[in-house]
Amino acid sequence: MIFPKELPVQIKALRGTRDILPEECLRWQWLEGAARAIFRTYAYDEIRMPLLEDLAVFTRAVGETTEIVQKQMYTFRDRGDRDVCLRPEATASVVRAYLENGLTAAGRQKLYYLGPMFRAERPQAGRQRQFHQVGVENIGPSSPYVDAEVILLACRFLEALGIQGYRVLLSTLGEAGERSHVAARLREHLEPGLDRLSETTRATAEQNIFRLLDSKDPDARELTRSCPGVIEFLSEQSRTRFESVRKILDQNGVRYEVDPYLVRGLDYYSHTVFEITHSALGAQDALGAGGRYDGLIAQLGGPETEAVGFAMGVERLFLAAEAETSLTDAGRFLVFVVAADESAVPKAFEWVQALRSDGIPADWDCTGKNLKAQMKQANRRNASWVLILGERELSGNSLTVKDMATGEQESMDADRILGWAKAQFADE
Ligand code: AMP
C-alpha cells in the first residue's frame, strides 16, 4: 500500500456522514429508550443484523429496477471476491436473518431494529449517506388488524417523542398477483401523455409504471393526477381488505388520508402501504414509511409467509420533535467531588468511588489543581452538585454540598450523603 508522504491538513468525515457528539448522544439515548419502551409494550423483540451483507440480499429483495439498487448502494468486491454491500435498509436483512436462523419455527415474529443505513444519495438537509432507521417487522399470519396495529404503533411512537403534527398517507397496492393487471391499466391511462415527459421520466415509466406515480417531475405529476390511481384498478377483494384496515384505524382514532398515488420505492410491497410526513422537514418531508410485503420471504427462498412493517428516519424524527417541543437533556446528572487541599485527595477519591458504587454518576479532577481550578472544571462539566472536602470537613466528618444551579451551599453529615445523592439523582 502506498501512503501519501504528507497527510492532508485535517482528515474529515466523509461527505454525507457525521459524528454524533456526546451532547447529542443523550438525545439519541432518550429516543432509543422511548422506542424500546413502546415496542416492548406492543410485544416486539429486538434484532440486530450485520451492517455488511451479501449484495444478493438487496438485489433480490428490493428489486433490480428500484432507485436504491440502481443508484444508491455502497457495493464493493471484498478480498475474497464476494459482492457485498452496506445495507441500504433493514427489511431485507431482517428477512434474511429470520430465514437463516430458523426463526420461522415460532410462527409469528414481531421484531424491531435500530441502526445505521447507507445510501449514496446527494446529501442535503434531512438526507445523509449514513443515516439511521428505527423500524418494526411483523412476520406471520396476515390480518387487517395486523396492518392497523403497525400503523397505530408508528403513531404512538411519534406521540411518545412529542410529535403530534404528522400526517399518515395511506393506500393499497393490492395482491402481488394483480400487479401486472394494474400496471396495464395504468399504462392505458398514462401512455398517451408519456411523450410530454422528459427522457429520464419516460425511462422510469418504461421500467416500472408505478414509479411514475410518485415521481417528483411536475409534468409526470400533472399526468398521473389525471388518472384514477391504483385503488380504482384493484380487485373487489383487495378493496374490501383495504376498507377493513381503514375501519379499524377509524375505530381506534388514527388520523390518516387516503392517497391513491402512494407507491413505495421498493418493489416488495403489496396491499397496505403508508407514509408518514411532517411539515417541519421541508423538501424531504417523509418521516417514515411502511407497508405489507407478503411476497418477500418466499422471494428470498423461504416459505410463503406474510409480513408488514415500517421504518422511520431517526435524524428526521429529531427534526420533527425539535420543531414541536424542546427536547430535554435528561441524563446529564453529575456529582463532582472537589478536594479543597492536598490532605483531602485520598478521601475525595473514596467518595467518588462510593457514589459510583451506588449508581450515582460522579467524577473528580485528579490532577491536583487548586480549589478554584477544580470548581471551574466542575462548571465546565455541567455538574449538578459539587461535594467539597477540606480539612474542616474531614475533621467534622461532613461534606460541603453546593447546588450548581443556585450557587447555594450547606454542610451535610457524611453518613447522609449517599442517601441524599440517590434522591437527587432519582428526581433528575
Ligand atoms: P425508506 O426506507 O426509503 O422508506 O425510508 C424510510 C425513512 O428513512 C424515510 O422516511 C426517511 O425518514 C429515512 N431516510 C431514508 N433515506 C434517508 C437518507 N438518505 N437520509 C436520512 N434519512 C433517510
Side-chain angles (χ1 to χ4, degrees):
M1 198 175 282
I2 302 164
F3 292 101
K5 278 210 186 81
E6 282 178 45
L7 283 175
V9 180
Q10 179 159 26
I11 306 173
K12 292 196 167 156
L14 295 174
R15 198 162 119 81
T17 72
R18 59 184 289 270
D19 304 302
I20 302 165
L21 298 173
E23 223 168 90
E24 290 173 89
C25 281
L26 292 173
R27 290 175 177 202
W28 280 72
Q29 287 164 10
W30 162 78
L31 186 140
E32 289 160 5
R36 288 181 205 291
I38 193 115
F39 295 156
R40 255 335 277 145
T41 62
Y42 279 71
Y44 282 77
D45 294 312
E46 186 177 1
I47 182 163
R48 302 185 192 196
M49 295 81 57
L51 307 189
L52 202 58
E53 291 271 9
D54 188 324
L55 177 62
V57 171
F58 300 98
T59 47
R60 264 213 255 164
V62 177
E64 301 270 5
T65 66
T66 56
E67 212 173 358
I68 292 188
V69 167
Q70 284 189 341
K71 299 193 200 144
Q72 298 176 347
M73 282 213 289
Y74 279 99
T75 309
F76 58 96
R77 187 151 289 175
D78 74 1
R79 286 165 193 258
D81 257 356
R82 287 167 291 253
D83 285 318
V84 298
C85 70
L86 290 170
R87 65 180 187 193
E89 58 108 43
T91 301
S93 294
V94 170
V95 171
R96 194 236 353 103
Y98 165 81
L99 294 174
E100 186 172 341
N101 298 292
L103 303 184
T104 39
R108 179 171 296 288
Q109 286 286 344
K110 296 172 74 174
L111 305 168
Y112 78 87
Y113 59 84
L114 281 152
M117 309 292 156
F118 305 83
R119 295 185 196 173
E121 298 187 83
R122 199 170 51 77
Q124 64 181 81
R127 196 159 75 189
Q128 293 172 220
R129 291 183 173 162
Q130 177 176 336
F131 60 101
H132 296 74
Q133 284 186 341
V134 45
V136 306
E137 312 296 352
N138 190 323
I139 305 173
S142 162
S143 142
Y145 276 101
V146 182
D147 300 33
E149 181 194 286
V150 165
I151 297 172
L152 195 75
L153 170 55
C155 298
R156 292 295 100 87
F157 172 48
L158 293 176
E159 287 152 18
L161 300 180
I163 302 171
Q164 305 283 345
Y166 59 85
R167 283 171 70 199
V168 178
L169 307 175
L170 182 71
S171 191
T172 173
L173 299 175
E175 302 260 358
E178 292 179 79
R179 196 63 47 91
S180 55
H181 163 75
V182 176
R185 298 295 309 275
L186 285 173
R187 227 168 247 296
E188 245 169 63
H189 272 79
L190 300 171
E191 199 93 66
L194 287 184
D195 55 1
R196 276 188 274 140
L197 305 180
S198 71
E199 205 170 313
T200 20
T201 315
R202 274 208 311 274
T204 307
E206 201 57 53
Q207 277 190 333
N208 184 341
I209 193 80
F210 288 91
R211 306 268 11 166
L212 202 60
L213 299 186
D214 70 350
S215 166
K216 293 257 187 305
D217 175 347
D219 294 331
R221 253 190 116 70
E222 197 188 315
L223 172 66
T224 53
R225 286 344 181 233
S226 67
C227 151
V230 171
I231 303 174
E232 281 289 302
F233 302 139
L234 295 178
S235 66
E236 195 57 40
Q237 211 177 357
S238 288
R239 282 198 278 172
T240 307
R241 191 183 189 289
F242 185 54
E243 287 311 313
S244 308
V245 175
R246 290 189 57 181
K247 199 164 149 204
I248 302 163
L249 291 175
D250 291 336
Q251 284 166 346
N252 287 277
V254 177
R255 294 171 287 129
Y256 63 87
E257 296 153 48
V258 173
D259 176 356
Y261 303 100
L262 184 70
V263 289
R264 301 282 305 112
L266 316 180
D267 277 353
Y268 53 58
Y269 287 104
S270 53
H271 288 300
T272 308
V273 284
F274 63 97
E275 194 164 291
I276 302 181
T277 63
H278 195 283
S279 58
L281 298 184
Q284 301 297 320
D285 69 348
L287 263 183
R292 179 158 280 290
Y293 53 93
D294 290 344
L296 180 62
I297 295 167
Q299 210 171 307
L300 285 177
E304 287 291 338
T305 313
E306 295 147 323
V308 57
F310 69 73
M312 304 226 195
V314 176
E315 285 81 359
R316 294 191 196 173
L317 288 172
F318 282 119
L319 291 176
E322 277 156 13
E324 290 199 40
T325 55
S326 52
L327 297 184
T328 63
D329 280 344
R332 291 193 137 271
F333 189 90
L334 181 70
V335 176
F336 203 87
V337 182
V338 162
D341 47 56
E342 189 69 31
S343 65
V345 168
K347 198 77 190 157
F349 187 54
E350 265 178 44
W351 271 108
V352 176
Q353 303 315 321
L355 288 158
R356 291 171 177 167
S357 297
D358 267 17
I360 300 156
D363 213 350
W364 73 319
D365 183 339
C366 60
T367 56
K369 289 190 190 118
N370 64 25
L371 175 68
K372 199 168 152 211
Q374 290 180 61
M375 288 305 290
K376 210 164 156 188
Q377 183 66 11
N379 232 330
R380 211 178 288 152
R381 298 282 300 281
N382 275 323
S384 322
W385 298 88
V386 171
L387 302 185
I388 305 164
L389 263 173
E391 234 173 79
R392 187 159 48 91
E393 284 84 0
L394 288 179
S395 61
N397 200 26
S398 67
L399 283 97
T400 299
V401 173
K402 179 166 180 171
D403 181 340
M404 295 298 276
T406 63
E408 281 166 24
Q409 58 183 59
E410 59 169 313
S411 171
M412 194 179 289
D413 283 348
D415 50 11
R416 280 186 54 215
I417 291 285
L418 288 178
W420 164 86
K422 255 197 239 177
Q424 301 304 317
F425 183 39
D427 273 5
E428 172 204 15

